[in-house]
Amino acid sequence: MGPRSSSGFFVSRAVALPLAGLAAALLLALAVLAALYGHCARVAPSELHGCGVPDARKPNPTLEPEVTVAPDVWRPSGPWDQLRLPPWLVPLHYELELWPRLRPDELSPPALRFTGRVNITVRCAEATARLLLHSLFLRCDGAAVRGPLSPAAGDAATVGRVPVDKVWFAEDMQYLVLELREALQPGSLYELQLSFSGSGYQDFREGLFINLYTDQGERRALLASQMEPTFARNVFPCFDEPALKATFNITIIHHPSYVALSNMPKLRQSEKDVNGSKWTVTTFHTTPRMPTYLAAFAICDYGHVSRTERGKEIRIWARKDAIANGNADFALNITGPIFSFLEDLFNISYPLPKTDIIALPTFDNRAMENWGLMIFDESLLLLKPDDQLTEKKTPIPDNSFLFHVQKWFGNLVTMSWWNNIWLNEGFASHFEFGVVNYFNPKLPGNEVFFSNLLHDVLREDHAMVPRAVSMKVENFTETNEISELFDIFTYNKGASMVRMLSSFLNENLFISALKSYLETFSYSNAKQDDLWRHFQMAIDDQSKIVLPATVKSIMDSWTYQSGFPVITLNVSTGIMKQEPFYLGKVKNQTLLTHNDTWIVPILWMKNGTTQSLVWLDKSSKLFPEMQVSNSDHDWVILNLNMTGYYRVNYDKLGWKKLNQQLEKDHKAIPVIHRLQLIDDAFSLSQNNYIEIETALDLTKYLAEEDEIIVWHTVLVNLLPSNFVSDVGNYDTYTLLKKYLLKRLTSIWNHYSTIIRENVTALQDDYLALISLEKLFGSVCLLGLEDCLQLSRELFRNWMDNPEKEIPYPIKTVILCYGIASGSDKEWDFLLNIYANNTNEEERSQLAYAMSCSKDPWILTRYMEYAITTNSFNFNETNIIEVVAAFDVGRYVAKDFLVNNWQAVSERYGIHSLVTLMYLIGRTISTDAQVMELQQFFSPMLEEHQSLKAHAKLQTIKNENLKNKNRIARIAAWLRKNT
């Protein structure tokens, strides 16, 4: 969803044609699940006055004209200081009308004004004369309270009113507060009537926002919404918490040239005349009970394609050009089958009568699985099954595709509060891969899960991370902390928790428990313990599977504490122990404490045969069956298929036995475990659990390794992208070059031949598609002339005939080495391509490639362009930082800053100077170097930045000193084994 992962498991929207089917399937798969069970523009505060006299033209004559906003004065502490709403009112129904002033002849304003009104039916749970609901960046134009209402909500004339004394905003916690002259009565129904106005912006994808785009040769605009997690309050006053579900009647007033979409099908349409201007009023059917964050709107001039699946209409909306070109057909044709698969899996039908899926030109969230109206960035959705690898780019499945699954996990059953958002995202991520495997049964599921989810989160997680999958509600004090939950721990670790749970239960029991859970909490909310209770019920109803503790006890040990364990098996004694994984473990560590242990499921194999599940439910335990003999054929691997969320260590004999098996017959060890052994060993050696030599010994067999995904893992660990630059030890580089190239010959010859002769043969090789960039980049980095020559060939062929695209899996590498080995001719060609390209991701790729030049003059000119030319105003890409990340570029960037630091600061912000200091100083290893760099940057930074920078530079220095010892040991091992 954004930046490259440190692992290198990233495919620029590049590789997936073959992935196209896979990614789109996944894409659409998760949205479907979301629908059944649901996922996840500003006004200055000074403008947030309101609730004055309503505009007489506004259709809400019941609002009280005497109500005015109280002045912004000091107030005593109260419920408005709390993050959670008080339990006084329960919303039951919203009558919402929105009127955005989007017109086809007015596309230039940076902000779009909208007005609206909402009548909210509530049940009073506790007597109160103060009403709190959420509102942010809205002006309140009127407020009234009707009631008590009769159950039948009869004639409005017979219903009383509750006078409103004051209306004011508690901005810190984003509340609108109504103070009444008399208290509401418990058990009675009331109607809150509010009129409001606000703005939608192009640059902020929160609440209502604008997209500008080109279609059929014309500049156009559309309006869409993003409410999750807490942005519904930016659009209309509401009770903006996931447990406060209600039904919605939604009406959108829009220009007649646009179509309006929402969660439900259109109920009726009419016209209204306002000062001679015609507007269309579109009203939609009533929604099921749902949280405010699932309310969705779109106003657009789009085309669509449609089909029916099991009597329900599915429509894909996109630019008319895209529809005419057939780009939406693949998504249309796969969405229905995914819905049907998930309905059958959970035995729960999708409850809405239609599904609209709209492709936005720009959508930062990538995908949002609103019930009935799913929103995507068009780059994820507009695919064709016959696209060629050289013509079309799609991203590999990642967390942005959690949409179909969330129709069940999130929309139908919603977490009680955001601290358990992983119940939405973790289950959706897990089932995403189940859907893909169902439609692509030949896909290597374990390796795909490792490369997409598990690999990255194991690199981020450790004992001192202040982040568990499930957080305590009381830990949250500010609204912005909720958005921070949408991270790698919620998605990747959450999915890993679900996968581990599934691994120690059989599939039927796992699905049976989920069906029970979903049926029980449909249209309602659930907590983590509710889920565990249904799993426990399923366990108790059978006798085949016996657990060492309750499901709650087992899973709480994983979800409520940070980090993960290292499981160490002594194969000589059979003793297994667990300890927390620390970054840079210190021997006899006593300062860092991690009191809890995990209840660990241990699936394992011995000599290639799967063994019975065992449990490590305390710090250490004896397993005599795991002892090995002196036989060369005796070996043990723990964590079968890497379904457990932990790393595995062995004693010296255990590692020796595995190394012997790799050298004798590596295919006796499954691919997923060859991956595991390499990845665990290098991570453990990096953090002082084992010697680096133990990890390096596992690479001796690699000349026989023909699985590119295993090579990817080796190269990520041995040749990180900054290896040559950061090590500064060319002796080690030379040794590593000789050692690796000898072993890379076979795999390189295989894939370079495919690239030269028949690149389309890779269409169905998913693991190759996600690994080729690292393979090609590493072989070129190691200086293999055939790789450099192939890069030059492909680049020059593209220059001569731009229609002859570079294969996307390796395009980033080819562009970089084409520029690195070329002159200003190649560089100018790329600059021209960049200047005429409007695709954001492709521009970033080109910007990166232009920084690969080894010519200081070209790099200097590049940075000058960046700070003086409008064409380089492309979003987040900081050209100076990109240049400084390269070995040659960091010296050029440092020289450039001498006379241009103020312009750089103005262009990218003063914080960029701090980042540049770290990039330029990434190889420092002495106090003198730290001092020199600080003196260089001192005129550019503020005092507090200089103090923080000094501490960071000291950390970099200390890390580099530690790495020097590691590099020296690698060099010594290479001399011995090359």
Side-chain angles (χ1 to χ4, degrees):
M1 281 200 328
R4 295 171 180 269
S5 69
S6 57
S7 72
F9 277 112
F10 173 90
V11 182
S12 55
R13 301 184 346 182
V15 295
L17 253 281
L19 292 187
L22 176 58
L26 252 170
L27 249 175
L28 288 162
L30 273 155
V32 175
L33 260 166
L36 267 153
Y37 302 95
H39 196 37
C40 123
R42 312 182 183 230
V43 178
S46 60
E47 298 178 56
L48 296 178
H49 56 282
C51 283
V53 179
D55 189 325
R57 294 171 295 178
K58 292 175 184 168
N60 208 344
T62 60
L63 300 182
E64 299 194 4
E66 72 274 12
V67 174
T68 57
V69 166
D72 188 11
V73 296
W74 177 87
R75 300 180 187 282
S77 60
W80 42 82
D81 299 315
Q82 304 302 312
L83 181 62
R84 301 291 302 276
L85 281 164
W88 307 332
L89 300 179
V90 179
L92 304 176
H93 180 70
Y94 290 81
E95 290 280 344
L96 174 62
E97 178 185 278
L98 284 177
W99 185 3
R101 303 309 199 269
L102 182 67
R103 302 171 60 95
D105 55 346
E106 296 178 2
L107 302 182
S108 58
L112 178 76
R113 178 173 172 265
F114 65 87
T115 57
R117 59 175 181 168
V118 62
N119 296 342
I120 311 173
T121 302
V122 300
R123 182 178 71 249
C124 181
E126 296 180 24
T128 178
R130 284 177 173 154
L131 312 184
L132 273 69
L133 62 164
H134 290 105
S135 180
L136 182 64
F137 305 133
L138 295 175
R139 172 190 168 104
C140 177
D141 298 312
V145 178
R146 294 175 63 236
L149 305 177
S150 64
D155 185 0
T158 65
V159 177
R161 293 179 176 278
V162 181
V164 179
D165 252 355
K166 295 179 184 177
V167 179
W168 54 280
F169 289 93
E171 294 176 16
D172 287 348
M173 293 300 169
Q174 305 176 358
Y175 290 132
L176 175 67
V177 183
L178 280 65
E179 298 195 14
L180 312 180
R181 293 181 193 170
E182 57 191 62
L184 305 187
Q185 299 306 306
S188 296
L189 302 182
Y190 296 86
E191 185 178 75
L192 314 184
Q193 300 179 332
L194 300 162
S195 63
F196 55 89
S197 55
S199 294
Y201 290 80
Q202 181 182 348
D203 296 331
F204 296 99
R205 313 283 192 260
E206 299 174 358
L208 290 181
F209 61 89
I210 306 166
N211 261 198
L212 296 177
Y213 64 99
T214 300
D215 193 14
Q216 297 181 322
E218 297 179 359
R219 193 69 171 156
R220 297 181 182 177
L222 63 78
L223 189 77
S225 64
Q226 170 62 29
M227 306 300 204
E228 190 184 32
T230 59
F231 306 133
R233 66 193 67 177
N234 297 28
V235 181
F236 60 99
C238 57
F239 297 86
D240 201 11
E241 293 189 2
L244 298 178
K245 291 187 172 184
T247 55
F248 288 76
N249 282 351
I250 294 171
T251 296
I252 299 176
I253 302 174
H254 56 96
H255 192 274
S257 64
Y258 293 118
V259 63
L261 303 173
S262 188
N263 304 81
M264 298 297 288
K266 179 174 63 179
L267 174 64
R268 61 179 175 270
Q269 202 166 58
S270 62
E271 286 192 357
K272 65 184 294 184
D273 187 301
V274 180
N275 297 330
S277 295
K278 299 290 186 182
W279 293 88
T280 299
V281 181
T282 301
T283 300
F284 300 90
H285 283 272
T286 305
T287 71
R289 291 185 71 242
M290 66 182 194
T292 50
Y293 78 81
L294 290 179
F297 324 102
I299 299 175
C300 60
D301 181 14
Y302 263 11
H304 74 276
V305 289
S306 64
R307 64 172 283 177
T308 300
E309 181 80 11
R310 295 184 175 179
K312 309 258 177 101
E313 186 177 31
I314 298 169
R315 298 184 296 185
I316 310 294
W317 296 81
R319 291 176 293 105
K320 293 177 180 178
D321 282 341
I323 295 295
N325 291 334
N327 299 111
D329 294 350
F330 183 80
L332 178 69
N333 292 330
I334 199 171
T335 297
I338 292 173
F339 267 67
S340 297
F341 166 73
L342 294 170
E343 286 183 332
D344 294 341
L345 179 66
F346 297 115
N347 197 30
I348 297 177
S349 296
Y350 177 57
L352 273 64
K354 65 90 177 177
T355 293
D356 286 315
I357 304 177
I358 185 169
L360 303 188
T362 305
F363 187 44
D364 297 343
N365 292 75
R366 310 272 282 183
M368 178 63 200
E369 67 304 329
N370 308 298
W371 239 353
L373 178 55
M374 294 185 284
I375 299 176
F376 285 88
D377 188 288
E378 66 177 24
S379 64
L380 303 185
L381 195 67
L382 302 184
L383 311 171
K384 292 190 295 183
D386 58 346
D387 279 327
Q388 294 301 306
L389 186 63
T390 55
E391 297 172 353
K392 182 68 178 177
K393 316 175 296 296
T394 49
I396 60 173
D398 65 22
N399 300 338
S400 62
F401 304 148
L402 313 183
F403 37 98
H404 292 309
V405 184
Q406 286 165 321
K407 297 186 182 304
W408 286 261
F409 293 96
N411 297 5
L412 185 65
V413 179
T414 310
M415 70 279 152
S416 292
W417 203 66
W418 297 108
N419 62 309
N420 277 322
I421 183 62
W422 84 273
L423 293 178
N424 288 19
E425 311 301 351
F427 273 87
S429 296
H430 170 76
F431 279 104
E432 169 187 6
F433 290 91
V435 170
V436 169
N437 284 331
Y438 176 80
F439 286 97
N440 301 270
K442 294 182 179 179
L443 198 70
N446 293 319
E447 290 83 355
V448 170
F449 190 92
F450 170 81
S451 60
N452 281 276
L453 295 178
L454 185 58
H455 181 271
D456 286 351
V457 72
L458 285 176
R459 290 201 159 208
E460 292 289 328
D461 204 6
H462 56 88
M464 302 308 290
V465 168
R467 174 76 166 90
V469 168
S470 185
M471 305 288 284
K472 302 287 186 182
V473 175
E474 53 268 24
N475 292 348
F476 295 84
T477 59
E478 297 180 3
T479 303
N480 60 11
E481 293 171 342
I482 295 172
S483 295
E484 294 171 2
L485 290 173
F486 291 79
D487 61 7
I488 194 171
F489 297 101
T490 287
Y491 290 90
N492 298 36
K493 188 172 182 178
S496 301
M497 297 295 99
V498 178
R499 183 167 177 255
M500 183 168 62
L501 171 65
S502 174
S503 74
F504 63 78
L505 306 174
N506 64 47
E507 184 70 12
N508 289 337
L509 190 150
F510 181 71
I511 296 298
S512 174
L514 287 177
K515 285 181 180 178
S516 172
Y517 166 76
L518 292 169
E519 289 168 0
T520 301
F521 294 99
S522 290
Y523 304 104
S524 186
N525 297 80
K527 298 179 180 178
Q528 178 173 291
D529 283 356
D530 296 318
L531 180 64
W532 304 152
R533 190 176 306 114
H534 281 264
F535 274 102
Q536 191 62 51
M537 289 162 53
I539 291 290
D540 294 342
D541 284 345
Q542 53 84 60
S543 57
K544 184 177 180 181
I545 296 175
V546 179
L547 302 180
T550 64
V551 174
K552 173 177 167 56
S553 296
I554 294 169
M555 295 309 297
D556 282 358
S557 76
W558 294 91
T559 60
Y560 280 129
Q561 63 176 323
S562 62
F564 59 86
V566 175
I567 306 300
T568 300
L569 173 66
N570 187 315
V571 299
S572 300
T573 63
I575 294 176
M576 186 189 303
K577 68 174 185 176
Q578 63 168 292
E579 59 182 315
F581 176 79
Y582 291 102
L583 292 183
K585 177 191 175 187
V586 179
K587 288 185 178 180
N588 302 318
Q589 194 161 2
T590 56
L591 295 177
L592 301 178
T593 59
H594 201 278
N595 296 323
D596 296 327
T597 56
W598 291 264
I599 302 177
V600 187
I602 307 290
L603 287 161
W604 60 295
M605 67 166 52
K606 189 170 188 178
N607 306 330
T609 302
T610 301
Q611 306 294 312
S612 299
L613 168 71
V614 298
W615 290 87
L616 180 61
D617 52 0
K618 46 191 175 184
S619 58
S620 64
K621 201 170 183 178
L622 175 64
F623 296 96
E625 64 272 31
M626 293 187 184
Q627 291 175 281
V628 299
S629 67
N630 291 325
S631 166
D632 291 342
H633 305 287
D634 223 7
W635 50 272
V636 170
I637 287 181
L638 305 185
N639 198 9
L640 188 68
N641 295 326
M642 294 191 76
T643 54
Y645 188 70
Y646 50 85
R647 292 202 184 274
V648 180
N649 189 14
Y650 305 91
D651 64 338
K652 289 184 178 181
L653 179 60
W655 284 115
K656 179 182 177 182
K657 291 283 187 180
L658 291 167
N659 187 40
Q660 288 174 342
Q661 182 60 50
L662 286 172
E663 294 194 54
K664 181 178 181 180
D665 177 14
H666 68 281
K667 289 192 179 289
I669 298 176
V671 174
I672 185 63
H673 291 296
R674 304 204 298 271
L675 276 176
Q676 175 199 13
L677 291 173
I678 296 291
D679 202 58
D680 280 356
F682 276 96
S683 176
L684 293 171
S685 70
Q686 178 75 36
N687 294 286
N688 304 328
Y689 286 83
I690 63 175
E691 305 296 337
I692 181 60
E693 292 81 2
T694 301
L696 291 168
D697 283 342
L698 296 174
T699 69
K700 291 179 180 179
Y701 86 98
L702 283 173
E704 306 301 320
E705 181 60 74
D706 58 0
E707 293 288 345
I708 192 171
I709 190 68
V710 177
W711 268 108
H712 183 286
T713 304
V714 172
L715 296 172
V716 163
N717 282 285
L718 269 180
L719 273 182
S721 58
N722 56 8
F723 174 79
V724 176
S725 170
D726 285 11
V727 170
N729 188 327
Y730 294 97
D731 177 46
T732 304
Y733 166 75
T734 303
L735 291 166
L736 196 57
K737 172 181 176 177
K738 185 176 181 181
Y739 179 80
L740 285 177
L741 285 182
K742 179 180 179 181
R743 289 159 175 80
L744 279 162
T745 301
S746 177
I747 194 95
W748 166 257
N749 288 340
H750 175 73
Y751 283 103
S752 62
T753 300
I754 292 176
I755 292 292
R756 283 187 166 105
E757 297 179 359
N758 183 23
V759 67
T760 58
L762 295 172
Q763 288 288 104
D764 298 321
D765 191 346
Y766 178 83
L767 297 181
L769 292 170
I770 65 173
S771 304
L772 271 173
E773 182 175 312
K774 185 63 183 179
L775 175 66
F776 270 67
S778 297
V779 174
C780 283
L781 176 66
L782 293 170
L784 183 68
E785 182 55 35
D786 188 48
C787 183
L788 299 173
Q789 178 60 31
L790 180 56
S791 298
R792 290 191 290 267
E793 283 178 21
L794 293 173
F795 192 95
R796 286 170 184 165
N797 290 342
W798 179 54
M799 280 185 68
D800 294 338
N801 181 11
E803 297 299 316
K804 191 171 184 179
E805 280 278 3
I806 299 169
Y808 265 102
I810 57 171
K811 186 171 183 178
T812 298
V813 175
I814 302 305
L815 291 178
C816 184
Y817 280 94
I819 290 296
S821 61
S823 64
D824 57 344
K825 178 183 177 182
E826 286 79 9
W827 197 92
D828 288 339
F829 170 79
L830 216 58
L831 177 65
N832 183 61
I833 295 290
Y834 170 84
N836 292 287
N837 193 311
T838 59
N839 182 285
E840 205 169 290
E841 184 170 339
E842 290 179 13
R843 283 165 65 87
S844 295
Q845 184 184 50
L846 294 167
Y848 165 82
M850 286 187 283
S851 65
C852 295
S853 174
K854 297 184 182 299
D855 189 325
W857 173 79
I858 290 178
L859 294 175
T860 300
R861 184 177 65 147
Y862 187 24
M863 291 185 286
E864 288 172 350
Y865 282 165
I867 62 174
T868 60
T869 309
N870 287 336
S871 65
F872 283 89
N873 291 334
F874 57 96
N875 298 341
E876 300 88 5
T877 306
N878 184 319
I879 298 301
I880 318 301
E881 290 179 7
V882 173
V883 170
F886 284 82
D887 201 27
V888 173
R890 63 191 169 115
Y891 299 106
V892 181
K894 184 179 178 183
D895 290 341
F896 183 79
L897 285 175
V898 172
N899 296 317
N900 297 281
W901 68 268
Q902 288 179 315
V904 171
S905 180
E906 291 172 6
R907 170 69 179 84
Y908 296 112
I910 194 169
H911 62 277
S912 69
L913 296 174
V914 178
T915 303
L916 285 167
M917 176 190 281
Y918 302 152
L919 285 170
I920 292 169
R922 62 182 178 271
T923 61
I924 58 175
S925 58
T926 68
D927 288 332
Q929 290 173 323
V930 171
M931 184 66 68
E932 187 274 331
L933 205 58
Q934 275 205 290
Q935 289 175 347
F936 178 82
F937 276 93
S938 61
M940 310 178 198
L941 303 180
E942 298 173 0
E943 184 176 355
H944 72 281
Q945 290 176 314
S946 294
L947 292 173
K948 288 179 65 176
H950 177 75
K952 175 70 174 180
L953 290 174
Q954 288 290 341
T955 300
I956 293 173
K957 180 200 75 172
N958 293 335
E959 287 296 318
N960 287 338
L961 287 173
K962 284 193 292 185
N963 285 337
K964 277 192 172 183
N965 177 58
R966 177 182 172 85
I967 295 303
R969 293 178 65 177
I970 291 174
W973 186 93
L974 289 170
R975 289 189 193 97
K976 181 179 177 181
N977 290 278
T978 300

